[in-house]
Amino acid sequence: MIHIQHNKAIKNYTTFGVPVKAKKFTQFSDIQELKEVASHLEVLDEEMLILGGGSNLLFTKDFDGVVILNQIKGIEIISDNNEEVLIKSGAGENWHEFVLYCVDNDYAGIENLSLIPGSVGASPMQNIGAYGVEIKDVFHSLEAFHIETGEVRVFNKEECNFGYRESVFKNIYKDQYVITSVTFLLTKKPIFKTSYGAIKAELEAMGVEELSIKAISNAVINIRSSKLPNPKEIGNAGSFFKNPVIKKEQFDELIKNFPEIANYPLPNGDVKIAAGWLIDSLGWKGKRIGDYGVHKNQALVLVNYGNSSGGDIYNLSTDILNSVKQTFGIELEREVNIF
Ligand code: EPU
């Protein structure tokens, strides 16, 4: 039986922790309850928001609709041989706990994605990535519930159309499906990915002699903890902006004026620019205005020190966008979903 609450404070369901309310709030922990929610939605005809870990969104005002928390739990081994394992997780599982479960069982492939906030169900939505690995590298399939028809559809990798922080669930199928489970193809013969600069240095600093996925996971945890604010202590949603991709011609002009610009040439000739570098070079890093600001160790991350409003944080992001546009002629895009 689902239970609908009214005027519910939802601050604690998001990692930014801004004080807002939802007109209605409910949750489901299996497909049956999700069906109940869906039939309710049909009657209500209201705006809805499916919430996982609440780690990639910012509310700028009270939510005038129904917020629905995905609580589907459970981890299941689908198949297992000497080489690889197919493992299925309920969408409502916490991502980092799932990573630790895999690392502790010697299932390799997602150790570089340790300590990313959020839920398993949200991970394919924006093809989460860090330290040289993206979800799409280990993704097998997912199950999603179509809200309008109640059908459960299996999506394979191609059908998700993954890109940099992108999938069909953010685009053509936005608000149409609820991801209920995700299946990953992990390996028992790890291919260690340590080429991402910071990892090697951290493994050395840790004194690791024999490489293991546990060591890599610990290195990533150390790096992330030193650079990124812990949402339990300081409200934030990770990178607020995406790293922009620009044309080679624009880059060649830019580098003349800004020879230090942090950049990654892409195989197709375009160039990805580190948005953190752009924002940092304009002096925003560590800037604090009252209860909110830009994180002191990573300019891509906007933070809420206490009870700042989502509107204030949003306005700060607009100021940053404008200043980057003015100096570098680059339009940054927000990575965080704004409501
Ligand atoms: N940089 C600065 N100043 C800053 C931040 C970065 O100069 O304040 C420079 C760094 O020195 C480096 C470059 O920018 O040369 C890139 O920085 P970093 O390696 O920290 O990675 P990032 O591009 O800032 C991305 C992801 C992170 C992910 C890291 C590690 C995006 C938008 N962000 O950050 O993802 O953890 O790489 O792989 O792609 C997230 O999405 O929430 C997130 C935290």
Side-chain angles (χ1 to χ4, degrees):
M1 262 291 273
I2 60 156
H3 170 58
I4 300 204
Q5 292 171 269
H6 295 259
N7 265 322
K8 166 100 171 165
I10 50 173
K11 177 180 155 109
N12 293 338
Y13 293 98
T14 72
T15 58
F16 244 127
V18 298
V20 283
K21 286 183 175 154
K23 192 162 97 183
K24 297 199 174 98
F25 178 90
T26 190
Q27 44 191 308
F28 58 88
S29 46
D30 55 37
I31 302 268
Q32 201 44 47
E33 287 185 350
L34 175 54
K35 280 189 178 151
E36 258 186 78
V37 172
S39 57
H40 226 84
L41 282 173
E42 222 172 300
V43 182
L44 293 174
D45 190 27
E46 270 183 325
E47 197 184 344
M48 59 133 208
L49 167 64
I50 310 286
L51 206 59
S55 59
N56 200 41
L57 45 82
L58 175 67
F59 287 104
T60 56
K61 52 184 184 303
D62 287 342
F63 190 75
D64 190 26
V66 49
V67 168
I68 305 161
L69 188 63
N70 188 340
Q71 291 270 52
I72 298 180
K73 296 275 161 67
I75 296 175
E76 192 189 337
I77 305 293
I78 304 289
S79 68
D80 184 346
N81 60 32
N82 286 337
E83 306 255 309
E84 43 192 33
V85 57
L86 210 50
I87 183 168
K88 176 176 173 178
S89 167
E93 289 285 347
N94 173 274
W95 172 260
H96 180 59
E97 281 165 27
F98 176 67
V99 171
L100 291 183
Y101 176 88
C102 294
V103 168
D104 289 340
N105 283 286
D106 284 327
Y107 305 151
I110 50 175
E111 55 282 359
N112 291 44
L113 304 178
S114 297
L115 211 62
I116 296 185
S119 65
V120 170
S123 66
M125 292 275 294
Q126 55 152 356
N127 181 25
I128 58 170
Y131 307 107
V133 176
E134 283 181 333
I135 277 291
K136 72 164 170 42
D137 306 332
V138 288
F139 180 90
H140 177 271
S141 58
L142 63 76
E143 286 175 334
F145 176 92
H146 192 243
I147 297 169
E148 225 173 275
T149 62
E151 259 173 66
V152 176
R153 174 173 162 189
V154 177
F155 286 79
N156 66 24
K157 196 192 286 193
E158 286 68 40
E159 288 165 327
C160 292
N161 201 12
F162 290 123
Y164 168 58
R165 298 296 192 273
E166 286 293 344
S167 78
V168 285
F169 302 101
K170 274 181 83 177
N171 296 300
I172 53 170
Y173 294 139
K174 191 171 187 319
D175 293 338
Q176 292 182 35
Y177 283 96
V178 178
I179 295 172
T180 54
S181 72
V182 188
T183 302
F184 301 91
L185 182 60
L186 303 179
T187 171
K188 294 194 176 164
K189 307 215 161 120
I191 301 163
F192 301 120
K193 292 204 173 140
T194 59
S195 60
Y196 199 95
I199 293 193
K200 262 198 199 121
E202 180 59 33
L203 287 166
E204 261 167 49
M206 285 161 59
V208 170
E209 277 165 18
E210 200 182 331
L211 212 48
S212 64
I213 59 172
K214 187 74 187 166
I216 293 183
S217 172
N218 284 336
V220 168
I221 290 171
N222 291 347
I223 299 165
R224 288 189 76 96
S225 319
S226 71
K227 271 188 156 182
L228 298 166
N230 178 352
K232 289 196 180 115
E233 289 156 17
I234 302 175
N236 76 91
S239 297
F240 200 93
F241 304 98
K242 286 192 196 183
N243 287 329
V245 174
I246 62 172
K247 293 271 162 233
K248 175 95 171 61
E249 300 77 58
Q250 187 182 359
F251 177 71
D252 289 342
E253 282 305 307
L254 212 55
I255 194 105
K256 286 184 198 155
N257 295 327
F258 307 100
E260 318 259 271
I261 202 161
N263 67 90
Y264 317 92
L266 299 177
N268 71 351
D270 293 349
V271 183
K272 188 183 268 191
I273 307 289
W277 186 92
L278 299 174
I279 300 168
D280 190 357
S281 74
L282 294 171
W284 287 102
K285 188 155 81 180
K287 191 173 172 67
R288 180 168 177 166
I289 309 128
D291 240 4
Y292 62 101
V294 180
H295 186 54
K296 64 177 184 355
N297 298 334
Q298 166 56 287
L300 263 186
V301 179
L302 304 190
V303 290
N304 171 18
Y305 291 104
N307 265 324
S308 125
S309 81
D312 280 343
I313 295 169
Y314 182 80
N315 290 340
L316 170 63
S317 75
T318 305
D319 290 345
I320 293 173
L321 285 179
N322 289 340
S323 83
V324 167
K325 169 91 180 140
Q326 205 174 14
T327 306
F328 301 104
I330 293 177
E331 295 215 31
L332 290 185
E333 228 182 287
R334 293 181 181 88
E335 198 215 280
V336 168
N337 298 304
I338 310 292
F339 291 94

